[in-house]
Amino acid sequence: MSRAGFEDAAEAVAAVLGTARTKDLVGLFARGRGVEHALITVQDPTASDAIRELYGAVERHGIPYAEAAAYLRGFVAGRTRQREEVDVRTVWSGPATPGVPVRPTARVLVEVVGKAQRELLAMTYSARAYPPLSAALRAAVGRGVEVHIVVETKAGASGLLDGPEPAKAFQGVSGVRLWHWAAERREHQRARQHAKLAVADRRVLWLGSANLTESGVRRNLEAGVLVTGGTAPQRAAEHIRELQRRGVLRPLSA
């Protein structure tokens, strides 16, 4: 019997939990602990569905807990080796120069969204609807990717943002979950949500100066890096998720 469902569920759990906490789950399987015990031990609402699906796949395929633990242990080891292989490339918006190979921001950002199969996390200060990016986000949601985008608000920017709310840039993309940095969780009155990044499946990270606007990804002179592999994408995603869990980042009402 094919165990593709179990393997997919194991990969999804590892993507959400990260290496260290997946190892904790390995220990629970090895000790024969069930799903309810796992949920209590992990205590991460963002991982609950993935953990339940993994246990469900184990039951459907009749996989002994000890065997599931061994597979997860090997999977984590493989991910650790894979993370050691890191590729870092520069990404630019604006004018190009001869003889210097660089990747344009607009193309890279759409590619990062296209690589996501399970999770896409993004952050931006300003945002305007950019059709290629909107199309890529719709396609991601359509294939089941969980998409979270953190934006600044006009209130949070204290008058420094012109035009409509940045969140309006994503109104045409059903299924995207929008977040903001809660005003009461900012230690300084002038603090801004100024991060600009996108991370796909905790494996690919774009990090740069460009906002998610057409001027940012195409017209302005902006710089960034694209990191594939290594610990940076994983750590970036874990940090965002932890900020969500702690209520520093909160869902943005429509």
Side-chain angles (χ1 to χ4, degrees):
M1 178 184 296
S2 170
R3 295 185 175 182
F6 165 70
E7 294 169 0
D8 290 344
E11 186 173 357
V13 162
V16 175
L17 290 181
T19 299
R21 290 194 296 166
T22 301
K23 289 181 179 179
D24 293 340
L25 196 59
V26 168
L28 296 177
F29 271 110
R31 295 194 298 274
R33 303 297 189 182
V35 61
E36 295 304 325
H37 187 94
L39 293 172
I40 292 172
T41 301
V42 173
Q43 290 188 342
D44 184 348
T46 66
S48 297
D49 289 344
I51 292 172
R52 288 192 180 94
E53 177 56 31
L54 178 60
Y55 271 89
V58 167
E59 293 181 4
R60 289 193 298 274
H61 293 291
I63 301 172
Y65 278 9
E67 185 177 334
Y71 179 88
L72 278 174
R73 190 177 294 112
F75 184 78
V76 169
R79 284 176 64 92
T80 301
R81 287 193 299 271
Q82 188 180 44
R83 285 201 306 272
E84 293 174 353
E85 302 174 3
V86 185
D87 181 69
V88 180
R89 304 188 183 191
T90 55
V91 180
W92 291 86
S93 301
T97 56
V100 181
V102 295
R103 307 279 309 280
T105 305
R107 185 183 306 166
V108 166
L109 191 54
V110 170
E111 288 177 359
V112 170
V113 175
K115 290 179 184 295
Q117 298 300 318
R118 297 177 302 277
E119 176 191 71
L120 177 75
L121 307 175
M123 303 182 75
T124 187
Y125 174 67
S126 177
R128 295 288 188 276
Y130 176 50
L133 178 59
S134 297
L137 289 171
R138 279 192 291 270
V141 173
R143 61 179 177 270
V145 178
E146 189 175 329
V147 180
H148 296 251
I149 301 178
V150 182
V151 298
E152 180 58 288
T153 63
K154 295 184 72 173
S158 300
L160 296 179
L161 274 173
D162 295 327
E165 289 283 353
K168 289 185 178 296
F170 308 102
Q171 280 188 337
V173 187
S174 178
V176 167
R177 305 178 191 185
L178 295 174
W179 298 74
H180 72 114
W181 185 9
E184 63 271 23
R185 299 302 300 271
R186 304 188 188 196
E187 295 183 3
H188 303 284
Q189 185 178 2
R190 295 183 180 181
R192 306 287 182 263
Q193 192 311 97
H194 216 247
K196 297 105 174 180
L197 63 85
V199 55
D201 293 343
R202 310 194 177 196
R203 173 68 181 163
V204 181
L205 168 68
W206 165 79
L207 178 68
S209 62
N211 285 302
L212 300 187
T213 63
E214 184 167 5
S215 59
V217 301
R218 288 180 62 87
R219 295 194 296 267
N220 293 347
L221 183 57
E222 308 273 4
V225 292
L226 179 67
V227 182
T228 303
T231 60
Q234 177 76 35
R235 292 291 179 258
E238 288 176 349
H239 184 59
I240 294 169
R241 286 299 205 175
E242 184 65 11
L243 290 174
Q244 291 175 328
R245 189 184 72 80
R246 292 173 178 266
V248 178
L249 298 179
R250 295 182 181 173
L252 187 62
S253 301

